[in-house]
């Protein structure tokens, strides 16, 4: 007698933050849920900074004195500008309106946030701080659209990696909670096809490395894949070697399986690790370093496309060139090889990098005078920590050029000396004449006049100590209200019944512009949305 095919109400493809949030939300609706993950959970979320972008009056904002400053409407006015056409107005409003409740939802499942507001501008706060301005809130033109409020909420707990990132402290309690709710987790599993019937998605075909492959095979696969993830942050060549070994072990022992379900949620990450997709869809990212795990290979997006799903914003990436902390770096000026100013220096790191790639061929140079340079050295200990402190020390001792005149400094970098001199003169004259900088807030300015002068090459690099990491932002188009995947059609909003997408498998809140914490916040938002609606769909109710 032939064995019955295993079934579940909801299958989630990917066990990162979006996938686990989707699993919890579906389980809350009473659905039986199985999560399939190519490794052992966590994805890129577990090696991330653990920052969740939230506002509208969170408990942590109130404790920092911003409870009456921020509101859902104030948050919306800022995010509407950042999000652009990546999400419709109703979706962005919902994201803002439910932000406080989502933070409470995370905390109800054991995620810990808290700590005082960071008093200086930083790309990632020191461990003692729990809240910071993580985006462009104080920058032009955003500060004129909405009252600036800090919305970067840092997950509490011991960090991992040289930067002390706390992403695992965000993912782990949610994963543990999902298991307690009855969610089944099947690791070492890669989905190869979606099962369809009458144009509806009804399950998955996949290969999995289970006990039949032998105890040593499963142990070694887990060890190599987990160790590779640990090296992703600091030593990517080693991570690639370990991933290759893990892949060979998996391919030798994985067995074909089928799992039928009433709904499937794709939450398998972006495609930054898929070189062919990068070359085809976003060639500007070819010269950038990859930030993610082996699972960010685009397989989830390709699964959706295999059943006719539409994609969007696949040309969008987020690449970071942070020039702070220390905050004193912001008092300098960033110029292109032509000597012209590239962008406002107080903008978010991905915003600066985007301008550098678009307008200067990926090349840029930060110019400071000796007073600003000394201020950087004086504030190094107070404003930096971990690997970032080591990086800044490298810049101070080795990674810069120095000259007695601005024109000599320009020549050492092969920057047009006359144009750079005029650019900095205009910057200084505006300060002397108490004129507003057209791009920047006054409190980050100081004149560049004291010799010697210093320059740092902040150009885009894909390797070395000053590499520029990147993630992909686009994916499958989804309905903003439910997260159900849309068909590749004539824009009529036709859906693929039974198929949902979340996280970086889907076009979402951060798919146009990224600021720190927005992708993780969107993983929670889109994962929860997909799980709730897939749970209703699997029960026979209208999602």
């Amino acid at each position: 007698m032939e064995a019955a095919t295993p079934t579940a109400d909801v299958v989630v493809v990917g066990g990162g933050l979006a996938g686990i949030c989707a699993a919890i939300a579906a389980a809350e609706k009473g659905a039986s849920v199985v999560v399939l993950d190519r490794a052992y959970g966590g994805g890129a979320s577990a090696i991330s900074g653990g920052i969740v972008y939230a506002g509208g009056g969170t408990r942590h904002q109130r404790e920092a004195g911003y409870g009456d400053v921020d509101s859902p409407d104030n948050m919306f006015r800022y995010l509407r500008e950042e999000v652009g056409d990546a999400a419709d107005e109703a979706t962005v409003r919902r994201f803002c309106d439910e932000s406080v409740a989502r933070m409470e939802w995370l905390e109800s499942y054991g995620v810990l946030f808290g700590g005082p507001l960071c008093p200086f501008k930083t790309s990632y706060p020191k461990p003692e701080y729990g809240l910071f301005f993580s985006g462009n809130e104080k920058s032009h033109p955003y500060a004129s659209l909405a009252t600036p409020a800090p919305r970067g909420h840092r997950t509490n707990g011991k960090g991992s990696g040289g930067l002390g990132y706390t992403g695992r402290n965000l993912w782990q309690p949610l994963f543990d909670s999902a298991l307690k709710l009855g969610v089944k987790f099947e690791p070492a599993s890669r989905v190869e096809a979606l099962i369809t019937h009458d144009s509806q998605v009804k399950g998955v075909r996949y290969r999995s490395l289970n006990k039949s492959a032998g105890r040593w095979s499963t142990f070694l696969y887990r060890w190599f894949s987990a160790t590779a993830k640990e090296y992703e942050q600091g030593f990517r060549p080693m991570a690639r070697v370990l991933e290759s070994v893990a892949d060979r072990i998996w391919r030798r022992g994985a067995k074909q399986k089928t799992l039928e379900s009433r709904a499937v949620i794709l939450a398998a990450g972006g495609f930054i690790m898929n070189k062919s997709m990068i070359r085809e869809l976003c060639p500007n990212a070819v010269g950038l370093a990859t930030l993610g795990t082996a699972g960010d290979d685009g397989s989830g997006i390709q699964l959706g496309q295999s059943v006719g799903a539409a994609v969007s914003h696949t040309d969008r990436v987020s690449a970071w060139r942070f020039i702070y902390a220390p905050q004193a770096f912001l008092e300098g000026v960033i110029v292109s090889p032509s000597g012209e100013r590239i962008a406002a220096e107080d903008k978010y790191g991905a915003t600066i990098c985007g301008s550098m790639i678009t307008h200067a061929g990926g090349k840029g140079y930060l110019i400071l005078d000796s007073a600003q340079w000394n201020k950087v050295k004086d504030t190094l200990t107070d404003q930096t920590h971990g690997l970032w402190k080591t990086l800044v020390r490298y810049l101070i001792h080795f990674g810069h050029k120095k000259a007695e005149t601005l024109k000599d400094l320009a020549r050492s970098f092969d920057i047009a000396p006359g144009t750079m001199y005029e650019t900095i003169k205009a910057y200084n004259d505006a300060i002397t004449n108490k004129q507003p900088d057209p791009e920047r807030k006054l409190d980050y300015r100081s004149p560049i006049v004291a010799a010697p002068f210093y320059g740092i090459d902040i150009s885009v690099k894909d390797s070395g100590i000053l590499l520029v990491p990147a993630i992909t932002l686009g994916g499958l188009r989804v309905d903003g209200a439910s997260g159900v995947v849309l068909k590749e059609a004539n824009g009529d909003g036709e859906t693929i019944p039974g198929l949902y997408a979340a996280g970086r498998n889907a076009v979402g809140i951060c798919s146009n512009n990224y600021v720190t914490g927005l992708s993780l916040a969107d993983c929670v938002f889109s994962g929860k949305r997909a799980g709730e609606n897939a749970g209703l769909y699997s029960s026979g109710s209208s999602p």
Side-chain angles (χ1 to χ4, degrees), residues 436-512:
D437 188 311
E439 295 290 333
R440 189 146 59 120
K441 282 178 65 69
L442 183 64
D443 58 355
Y444 290 138
R445 294 195 299 174
S446 66
I448 302 173
V449 293
F453 300 94
Y454 296 82
I456 300 171
D457 184 348
I458 62 169
S459 302
V460 170
K461 300 176 179 68
D462 63 0
S463 61
I465 196 169
L466 289 176
L467 60 79
V468 173
I471 63 171
T472 57
L473 300 178
L476 302 170
R477 290 185 59 230
V478 297
D479 173 65
S482 65
V484 67
V485 174
L486 301 177
K487 280 187 177 180
E488 181 67 74
N490 299 320
D492 56 4
E494 188 177 357
T495 64
I496 301 175
L499 185 63
Y500 300 78
R504 300 286 59 79
N505 266 183
V507 177
I509 295 294
C510 69
S511 291
N512 217 15

Side-chain angles (χ1 to χ4, degrees), residues 233-234 236 321-322 387-395 398-399 457 459 461-469:
Q233 292 174 302
R236 288 179 176 85
R321 171 57 81 211
F322 286 115
L387 190 60
W388 188 260
K389 179 183 286 188
T390 301
L391 171 62
V392 177
R393 280 179 172 157
Y394 164 78
L395 296 176
F398 306 106
D457 184 348
S459 302
K461 300 176 179 68
D462 63 0
S463 61
I465 196 169
L466 289 176
L467 60 79
V468 173

Side-chain angles (χ1 to χ4, degrees), residues 83-152:
V83 172
D85 64 353
D88 58 72
E89 182 171 319
T91 301
V92 181
R93 282 201 176 275
R94 178 181 173 186
F95 180 84
C96 298
D97 290 344
E98 297 176 357
S99 184
V100 172
R102 279 196 308 277
M103 286 291 286
E104 293 171 349
W105 185 79
L106 290 173
E107 291 177 313
S108 74
Y109 284 112
V111 182
L112 301 177
F113 298 95
L117 175 67
C118 185
F120 51 85
K121 191 169 180 66
T122 183
S123 56
Y124 188 77
K126 296 177 69 176
E128 57 262 40
Y129 301 115
L131 183 67
F132 71 117
F133 286 85
S134 64
N136 287 309
E137 295 86 2
K138 288 186 173 182
S139 301
H140 175 80
Y142 305 95
S144 63
L145 301 175
T147 304
R151 301 192 185 100

Side-chain angles (χ1 to χ4, degrees), residues 112-271:
L112 301 177
F113 298 95
L117 175 67
C118 185
F120 51 85
K121 191 169 180 66
T122 183
S123 56
Y124 188 77
K126 296 177 69 176
E128 57 262 40
Y129 301 115
L131 183 67
F132 71 117
F133 286 85
S134 64
N136 287 309
E137 295 86 2
K138 288 186 173 182
S139 301
H140 175 80
Y142 305 95
S144 63
L145 301 175
T147 304
R151 301 192 185 100
H153 292 67
R154 185 181 189 271
T155 313
N156 281 357
K158 185 179 180 181
S160 63
L163 291 172
Y165 283 170
T166 58
R168 191 158 196 95
N169 299 323
L170 172 61
W171 175 83
Q172 189 69 55
L174 293 170
F175 178 73
D176 294 341
S177 297
L179 297 183
K180 290 177 182 177
L181 287 171
V183 172
K184 295 181 179 179
F185 181 70
E186 191 169 342
S189 300
R190 305 184 191 182
V191 176
E192 297 180 331
L194 297 173
I195 299 171
T196 60
H197 180 67
D198 292 336
S199 300
Q200 297 187 26
V201 173
K202 290 290 189 178
V204 297
R205 284 196 298 271
Y206 66 107
R207 292 174 65 198
S208 182
L209 189 70
N210 54 25
K211 293 180 181 178
S212 64
R215 185 173 61 181
W216 273 107
S217 291
T218 54
F219 170 81
L220 289 173
Y221 177 75
R222 181 167 190 165
W223 186 88
F224 277 105
S225 58
T227 307
K229 187 179 291 187
E230 290 298 319
Y231 278 102
E232 283 291 352
Q233 292 174 302
F235 192 22
R236 288 179 176 85
M238 176 61 75
R240 301 297 175 266
V241 171
L242 295 168
E243 288 162 1
S244 177
V245 175
D247 187 63
R248 286 199 295 271
I249 294 170
W250 183 87
R251 292 187 183 280
R252 282 201 301 265
K255 304 298 182 183
Q256 190 79 44
K257 291 186 175 183
T258 299
L259 182 56
E260 294 182 353
S261 64
R262 297 180 180 178
V264 173
I265 301 173
L266 300 174
F271 60 93

Side-chain angles (χ1 to χ4, degrees), residues 13-15 36-39 189-194 204-206 250-251 264-277 281 293-307 309 311 472 474-476 499-502 504-506:
V13 183
L36 304 175
D37 189 78
R38 68 172 286 148
S189 300
R190 305 184 191 182
V191 176
E192 297 180 331
L194 297 173
V204 297
R205 284 196 298 271
Y206 66 107
W250 183 87
R251 292 187 183 280
V264 173
I265 301 173
L266 300 174
F271 60 93
I272 193 65
M273 298 299 186
N274 189 320
K275 292 182 179 179
S276 62
M277 287 183 72
L281 300 174
T293 68
D296 292 297
D297 61 354
S299 58
I301 296 170
Q302 291 170 335
L303 283 170
Q305 289 180 296
S306 71
V307 294
V311 297
T472 57
L476 302 170
L499 185 63
Y500 300 78
R504 300 286 59 79
N505 266 183

